[in-house]
Amino acid sequence: MREHPVLLLCPSLVGAGVERRVYLLINQLAAHWSRLKLGLLREEGEFLSRVDKKQILYVAPTALSQLLCLPFKPCTELYHFLVAIGQIRAMLKTLKPAVVVTFTLETTLPMYVVRLLDSSNNNLWIISEDSNTAVATGKACKIRPVNKILQTLLGYIYQTADFVTTVSSAVQYSVEQIYAIPPEHINVIHNPIDCVAIRQLGNASPPLDFDYILAVGRLVKVKQFDLLIQAFAHTIKSYSIQLVILGEGPELFNLKQLAEQFKLAQLIHFPGFVDNPWVYMKHAKMLVLTSQVEGFGNVIVEAMAVGCPVIATDCGGPNDIIQQSINGLIVSPKPESIVQAIEQFLDDPDFCNQLSSQAQQDIEQYNPEHSAARFDTMLVQLLSTSRLRLP
């Protein structure tokens, strides 16, 4: 067992991609690190029950910190940011970790402030870049100079960390180019996907009694489900098939309105969040991902695990997973390109089977033990080469 104390920081364990990655990682790493803790800003989330309580370090905000931050409560994000600074400082004092790994900006930004406030902090700091924040920040608003300022500020913060790990080559490239992080301070560790569990869940009874194209994700603009609906509107002219979009989010009303405009409300379904999306994948004709930017693309690997052929727009992360026309298709983010790929799948079932067969072999590299082993190697190497005085 490795004796160095290690702290993984995550906002909570709600049912999202980053949180899934965190709980899978900590469950694997716990077998090798005797003083490994998962620090949470909020002790909540669907995945909370999947982590041993002994691994969780939670420091509730003090009454004093809440009182001091009270003037900022109307601005919820700023309030939580200020409270998180106090929580993280308390966690560091309790555990005295040799290494701190932050997941998402919600822990990365307060961790930066904590380091500023306490110059005696001698722990290694690793930022886990789980989405393409650098690219997304460049499109944060319509005023380009503002976006550039945001990118510069984030770049400075990332440069103060000791190391950055990214979930794909596309994210690594963005971190290098936009945040000016030296390549020797970055590596790629793909998201862990529990393919065995997903296959078991996918074997449940079919959820629907019609043929359908499937999309899965939070209903936000960056996922570009409107692009998929436009492509589906063209496809439906020649094929008897329906569209199912799983997920919740602020774009639901707009997407339903778009379906109405195309007179396809009866053929486009929005079941919302479902506990078992993998059974939908198992019985879908295909899964289509139409994101503008994607850090990795968990749903692609999950669909591949249950034998569902996949199409993804050229949006970053999926390029690490999909080998063109070997285990899936990458297309340009245009309705006509998406239509062409969908129709190719519908017209050629043998081609789909060929891709799916190869995909199920390729995804073994994403099993949790493999991703955790690479994470473990990174931690060991950084600790062994660090000149910092570690406990």
Side-chain angles (χ1 to χ4, degrees):
M1 293 287 282
R2 314 193 198 288
E3 297 297 326
H4 287 296
V6 176
L7 177 63
L8 308 186
L9 282 174
C10 192
S12 68
L13 285 176
V14 297
V18 175
E19 290 76 11
R20 188 185 300 277
R21 180 186 190 215
V22 169
Y23 95 74
L24 288 171
L25 275 175
I26 199 162
N27 286 345
Q28 292 291 326
L29 292 171
H32 306 288
W33 296 82
S34 62
R35 300 174 67 190
L36 175 71
K37 294 291 183 181
L38 171 59
L40 298 176
L41 303 181
R42 296 179 297 280
E43 201 173 22
E44 63 184 26
E46 296 91 326
F47 298 141
L48 198 59
S49 61
R50 303 190 189 185
V51 177
D52 190 331
K53 287 184 178 180
K54 293 183 293 186
Q55 301 295 146
I56 293 175
L57 177 60
Y58 172 68
V59 177
T62 64
L64 179 59
S65 71
Q66 290 178 307
L67 182 64
L68 291 173
C69 297
L70 200 58
F72 304 100
K73 196 158 190 179
C75 182
T76 306
E77 290 184 3
L78 179 58
Y79 172 79
H80 286 305
F81 168 71
L82 295 172
V83 169
I85 292 170
Q87 290 178 286
I88 292 173
R89 290 188 75 178
M91 290 181 203
L92 297 184
K93 186 177 180 180
T94 300
L95 186 62
K96 295 181 174 59
V99 185
V100 178
V101 186
T102 55
F103 295 83
T104 80
L105 288 178
E106 197 174 343
T107 57
T108 293
L109 296 181
M111 179 63 190
Y112 168 73
V113 176
V114 168
R115 299 231 324 175
L116 283 181
L117 294 173
D118 187 359
S119 57
S120 65
N121 238 320
N122 65 347
N123 45 44
L124 285 168
W125 179 22
I126 302 171
I127 295 176
S128 178
E129 185 68 336
D130 301 282
S131 59
N132 210 330
T133 307
V135 171
T137 305
K139 301 172 182 178
C141 72
K142 295 179 180 179
I143 306 171
R144 289 188 179 182
V146 172
N147 295 336
K148 186 63 178 176
I149 291 170
L150 289 173
Q151 286 180 325
T152 302
L153 288 173
L154 283 176
Y156 177 78
I157 291 170
Y158 275 57
Q159 289 165 25
T160 64
D162 299 290
F163 204 75
V164 178
T165 180
T166 68
V167 293
S168 69
S169 302
V171 178
Q172 180 185 28
Y173 181 80
S174 297
V175 168
E176 278 186 43
Q177 298 299 311
I178 299 174
Y179 291 164
I181 306 295
E184 62 270 20
H185 290 171
I186 316 171
N187 74 353
V188 176
I189 301 177
H190 293 132
N191 281 349
I193 307 294
D194 192 347
C195 297
V196 173
I198 286 169
R199 286 176 181 134
Q200 290 174 346
L201 291 164
N203 287 329
S205 301
L208 303 169
D209 59 359
F210 52 81
D211 291 340
Y212 58 94
I213 297 165
L214 180 67
V216 181
R218 184 157 166 73
L219 306 183
V220 291
K221 288 184 178 179
V222 72
K223 296 295 184 179
Q224 297 190 139
F225 290 117
D226 56 332
L227 196 64
L228 177 57
I229 291 173
Q230 291 175 48
F232 178 73
H234 288 281
T235 303
I236 197 64
K237 295 174 183 177
S238 306
Y239 300 87
S240 177
I241 197 161
Q242 301 187 39
L243 174 62
V244 176
I245 302 176
L246 299 182
E248 297 174 341
E251 286 297 298
L252 177 60
F253 177 78
N254 292 335
L255 294 173
K256 285 186 172 182
Q257 287 289 100
L258 186 60
E260 290 279 1
Q261 288 175 24
F262 282 111
K263 295 181 171 52
L264 296 174
Q266 301 302 313
L267 299 177
I268 301 179
H269 309 272
F270 298 92
F273 175 85
V274 298
D275 291 327
N276 185 357
W278 306 290
V279 68
Y280 284 82
M281 295 177 186
K282 171 79 173 181
H283 297 283
K285 288 296 181 182
M286 68 196 75
L287 178 127
V288 184
L289 182 147
T290 52
S291 295
Q292 184 181 43
V293 180
E294 197 73 48
F296 180 62
N298 287 1
V299 294
I300 294 174
V301 180
E302 292 169 358
M304 287 176 166
V306 295
C308 178
V310 296
I311 298 167
T313 48
D314 188 2
C315 57
N319 293 75
D320 276 16
I321 306 167
I322 296 175
Q323 299 177 65
Q324 185 69 345
S325 297
I326 296 175
N327 63 6
L329 290 180
I330 297 278
V331 299
S332 64
K334 299 176 182 178
E336 57 269 24
S337 300
I338 299 167
V339 169
Q340 184 177 3
I342 290 173
E343 292 183 350
Q344 183 178 4
F345 274 11
L346 293 174
D347 290 336
D348 196 344
D350 290 339
F351 179 58
C352 288
N353 292 336
Q354 178 186 328
L355 298 185
S356 297
S357 178
Q358 183 61 49
Q360 290 188 71
Q361 298 177 45
D362 294 341
I363 61 169
E364 294 306 315
Q365 62 182 301
Y366 305 115
N367 279 335
E369 58 267 27
H370 297 150
S371 293
R374 288 191 284 272
F375 210 90
D376 178 80
T377 299
M378 175 188 69
L379 293 175
V380 171
Q381 288 179 345
L382 287 174
L383 284 167
S384 64
T385 58
S386 172
R387 297 180 182 178
L388 298 175
R389 293 180 295 103
L390 299 173

